[in-house]
Amino acid sequence: MAVSNATWEAGEVHVLAERLGELCRARGVTVTAAESCTGGGVANAITAVAGSSDYFETGYVTYANGAKTRLLGVPAPLIEDHGAVSREVVEAMVAGACRESGADLAVAVSGVAGPGGGSPDKPVGTVWLAWGSADGVLAERRHFPGDRRAVREQAVKAALAGLIRILEGDRAEALGDTR
């Protein structure tokens, strides 16, 4: 039986990363991460697990908008129209990360970690996450409380928990269009 996202997010990062590794190995799945506000935190968590090279080869830290375009192929007009912290951009980051890395499954994270940079529409703590594969993309907007460190840590946990949720459940259902 699959464990809820809230249960996974309450756990420690290393426990999440270890569970992700178990699932990737059991299913023969490779993963990649395309990160902005987490600055490589997801890749760091995954690669802290011994043997993670079995299922994780490449990660992307695309903190600047130009890096999202250059490394992941996110169209600059998409970023200009929707902002870097948006459903559209994280979905494009997932597509680009899978395409460029050859991974079966990707997670993308873009948000406003603070303390500055927020707006009425996207206050500090706003984070868009997306998980996807060639079968589709699941994206969600979250708001995490706390300071910069807390927002980033919660975003890393949510990113890992989402990958676990997909691998534990029915992939076609989990990756269905959520719009």
Side-chain angles (χ1 to χ4, degrees):
M1 183 167 116
V3 177
S4 75
N5 222 29
T7 300
W8 277 118
E9 287 179 37
E12 294 293 325
V13 170
H14 70 91
V15 173
L16 295 168
E18 288 171 2
R19 179 63 181 147
L20 176 63
E22 292 167 4
L23 291 165
C24 286
R25 281 192 186 97
R27 288 162 176 73
V29 171
T30 57
V31 297
T32 188
E35 305 180 64
S36 188
C37 69
T38 49
V42 175
N44 181 60
I46 292 170
T47 59
V49 176
S52 56
S53 61
D54 292 346
Y55 51 88
F56 185 87
E57 179 186 284
T58 304
Y60 302 90
V61 178
T62 56
Y63 202 71
N65 292 343
K68 290 173 183 64
T69 299
R70 192 173 56 259
L71 298 175
L72 300 174
V74 177
L78 189 74
I79 297 171
E80 292 165 12
D81 291 347
H82 300 282
V85 181
S86 66
R87 170 189 295 273
E88 293 81 3
V89 169
V90 293
E91 288 177 346
M93 289 169 69
V94 162
C98 282
R99 181 183 61 251
E100 295 301 322
S101 70
D104 300 309
L105 186 62
V107 61
V109 185
S110 187
V112 184
S119 69
D121 289 341
K122 297 175 186 175
V124 170
T126 301
V127 177
W128 271 100
L129 299 109
W131 303 267
S133 68
D135 298 327
V137 178
L138 169 69
E140 60 185 42
R141 179 182 170 148
R142 302 287 298 273
H143 187 270
F144 299 117
D147 63 10
R148 182 176 182 81
R149 182 202 53 76
V151 169
R152 289 165 47 112
E153 182 177 304
Q154 291 170 87
V156 167
K157 287 180 178 182
L160 295 170
L163 290 169
I164 292 166
R165 179 179 68 208
I166 288 167
L167 291 170
E168 282 187 336
D170 180 274
R171 287 179 71 180
E173 182 180 320
L175 291 174
D177 191 0
T178 62
R179 288 176 220 216

